[in-house]
Amino acid sequence: MSTSSFQPTRPLPYGRQFITDADVEAVTDTLRSDYLTQGPKVAEFEQQFASYVGARYAVAVSNGTAALHLCALALNVQPGQRVITTPITFAASANCVRYCGGEVHFADIDPTTALIDLKAVRQLLESHPKGYFHGLIPVDFAGLPVDMEEARALANEFGLWIIEDSCHAPGGFFIDSEGQNQRCGNGRYADLAIFSFHPVKHIATGEGGMITTNREDLYQELLKLRTHGITKDPAQMERHDGGWYMEMQELGYNYRMPDMLCALGISQLSRADVGLTRRRQLARQYDAAFAEMPGVRPLAGAIGHAYHLYVIQVEDRKKLYNFLRQHQIFAQVHYIPVHTMPYYQQLGWMPGTFPLAENYYAHCLSIPLFPSLTDQEQDYVVACIQEFVEQQQD
Ligand SMILES: *Cc1c(COP(=O)(O)O)cnc(C)c1O
């Protein structure tokens, strides 16, 4: 195969947003309305998102990291409390525990999926007295949903709360023990689930995030924490000074998502399933191409996979990364194991502690996958990788 027959007319990143005229109109309509922030679009986006994932409540926030922070606060993470997450995730999944002074612990991954290995989590839990750990933050890495039924059972056994980091998996689902599809963030298993609307994610608003839950108590707490710890609900107040009165009851933040971005989110959400279908189709096409390509190992797929990323593993990853760049293909590495970052090393974590995660990191590469990627562009990516593989064999 040769790469010369088709040359892409644009660089091909690993992910990119898909903005339509309808999206632009939704934003400009809001700009002309009475509300730039905290108008009707916020509740509308929240309701539609909650119904999309099948959860009772949704809270829109300024970004995915703010969502994680608010979750940790709502679950009352205290200094010294220990929380378990995966080393193969974006640093924010772990950092939210640090914001509250908690201790981050890690469990190694399952190398076929790169998800946190719940057997490794169990081993970690069993090697300490009950009550030693307080929470679990599983991540639906690359869009592959964690088996939350199993995670919940484990959490119940050891008295943990769960924040599911579903930034990669809106619309993704796992199949439960009764054969039912269970959508990420549907509130049945995790206490709280979080999503991000960063431009590379499925639903893009620039900055933005969402928390979903079925728990009324956490929902009320999140609403307050999102706005400075202030309530305007007279029923919840200690005093009633007059019509103007609002009450700051605890230390909160400004983590609100503005109306114009919620309007964009609503418009994007209306096309979420179209994008998801295209991502899954592209992934199947990659799967078929790499099944016949020695030396290229994709991560395991699944029917409910939301395919935020398409990850392959190759022997000489750096060489492939540089080779693809020369061909205008901007692949990326997801992720540098969190425990090997200097910040986490300062906290005592050592490289070598999670060999499966570190081995995965040595070989992984996320190649272009986004709804507007054309079949022709995808064929070009495959042809370039094929050419690389052949060069390696010479
Ligand atoms: C993007 C992402 C976040 C953070 O979201 P932001 O909106 O960028 O703050 C957290 N966790 C994971 C797994 C992500 O991919």
Side-chain angles (χ1 to χ4, degrees):
M1 213 185 286
S2 155
T3 54
S4 60
S5 53
F6 168 79
Q7 291 299 317
T9 55
R10 55 177 185 172
L12 299 175
Y14 79 89
R16 81 156 23 123
Q17 73 271 24
F18 186 38
I19 301 291
T20 64
D21 289 347
D23 291 341
V24 174
E25 239 165 78
V27 175
T28 52
D29 283 354
T30 315
L31 286 172
R32 291 190 189 95
S33 79
D34 289 341
Y35 296 97
L36 296 188
T37 191
Q38 305 319 293
K41 295 296 173 190
V42 180
E44 198 182 324
F45 187 32
E46 289 174 339
Q47 277 154 22
Q48 291 186 14
F49 195 90
S51 111
Y52 181 65
V53 301
R56 216 166 284 154
Y57 307 105
V59 178
V61 293
S62 40
N63 55 63
T65 305
L68 284 160
H69 187 193
L70 287 191
C71 288
L73 288 166
L75 291 163
N76 206 18
V77 173
Q78 295 294 309
Q81 288 191 348
R82 302 176 189 89
V83 176
I84 303 167
T85 191
T86 170
I88 298 300
T89 186
F90 185 57
S93 317
N95 293 349
C96 65
V97 177
R98 298 294 306 141
Y99 297 153
C100 300
E103 264 181 37
V104 182
H105 290 250
F106 301 94
D108 213 344
I109 61 164
D110 174 341
T112 63
T113 61
L115 296 185
I116 194 169
D117 182 356
L118 293 176
K119 289 193 292 296
V121 175
R122 172 174 286 283
Q123 273 174 9
L124 180 61
L125 290 166
E126 285 177 347
S127 64
H128 293 89
K130 266 202 182 151
Y132 188 83
F133 293 102
H134 284 80
L136 176 64
I137 306 180
V139 179
D140 302 316
F141 173 70
L144 180 64
V146 169
D147 184 330
M148 290 303 295
E149 190 178 24
E150 195 183 333
R152 184 76 256 175
L154 198 57
N156 286 350
E157 195 179 327
F158 290 88
L160 311 178
W161 49 252
I162 300 180
I163 302 171
E164 182 179 9
D165 183 337
S166 296
C167 283
H168 295 186
F173 60 86
F174 76 95
I175 298 172
D176 72 12
S177 56
E178 282 165 11
Q180 300 295 312
N181 294 354
Q182 299 288 349
R183 280 209 169 189
C184 296
N186 71 5
R188 300 233 178 113
Y189 305 98
D191 296 279
L192 297 160
I194 70 110
F195 298 85
S196 161
F197 308 126
H198 180 278
V200 296
K201 312 286 162 81
H202 289 56
I203 295 161
T205 65
E207 299 285 355
M210 193 72 81
I211 305 167
T212 61
T213 184
N214 279 1
R215 282 182 55 180
E216 156 89 21
D217 60 331
L218 292 176
Y219 173 63
Q220 295 297 342
E221 185 60 20
L222 290 168
L223 292 180
K224 225 193 297 178
L225 289 168
R226 174 177 67 177
T227 306
H228 311 282
I230 290 175
T231 183
K232 291 179 181 170
D233 177 4
Q236 291 186 29
M237 291 179 190
E238 289 179 19
R239 304 206 313 262
H240 299 277
D241 293 0
W244 64 86
Y245 185 67
M246 52 179 100
E247 196 164 87
M248 185 190 150
Q249 300 180 324
E250 62 187 309
L251 189 62
Y253 297 80
N254 176 356
Y255 279 167
R256 298 184 298 251
M257 187 170 179
D259 256 46
M260 39 190 170
L261 296 188
C262 289
L264 179 54
I266 292 164
S267 184
Q268 287 260 313
L269 182 60
S270 72
R271 293 198 318 280
D273 281 335
V274 180
L276 194 55
T277 301
R278 178 62 181 158
R279 285 172 182 276
R280 286 176 174 153
Q281 181 184 27
L282 287 164
R284 276 199 307 277
Q285 290 170 184
Y286 273 141
D287 284 344
F290 297 133
E292 297 160 13
M293 211 182 283
V296 177
R297 290 172 291 126
L299 284 177
I303 180 169
H305 203 309
Y307 286 106
H308 165 55
L309 303 173
Y310 192 92
V311 180
I312 59 172
Q313 291 173 274
V314 294
E315 191 47 41
D316 197 337
R317 188 269 314 279
K318 191 183 272 180
K319 217 174 193 176
L320 176 59
Y321 172 86
N322 289 328
F323 179 87
L324 292 178
R325 284 181 82 86
Q326 285 161 12
H327 292 83
Q328 293 301 299
I329 298 167
F330 296 90
Q332 186 53 284
V333 170
H334 298 95
Y335 285 100
I336 305 158
V338 177
H339 69 284
T340 69
M341 291 290 190
Y343 173 77
Y344 281 95
Q345 287 202 43
Q346 283 160 30
L347 294 172
W349 294 99
M350 308 256 284
T353 315
F354 302 103
L356 297 171
E358 290 167 44
N359 182 64
Y360 163 81
Y361 166 60
H363 300 290
C364 68
L365 197 61
S366 307
I367 60 175
L369 180 69
F370 47 88
S372 68
L373 186 73
T374 66
D375 283 354
Q376 231 181 3
E377 287 170 334
Q378 184 183 36
D379 289 345
Y380 170 78
V381 173
V382 170
C384 287
I385 295 170
Q386 171 91 45
E387 189 179 315
F388 173 82
V389 167
E390 284 165 8
Q391 275 182 19
Q392 294 300 99
Q393 286 164 346
D394 293 341

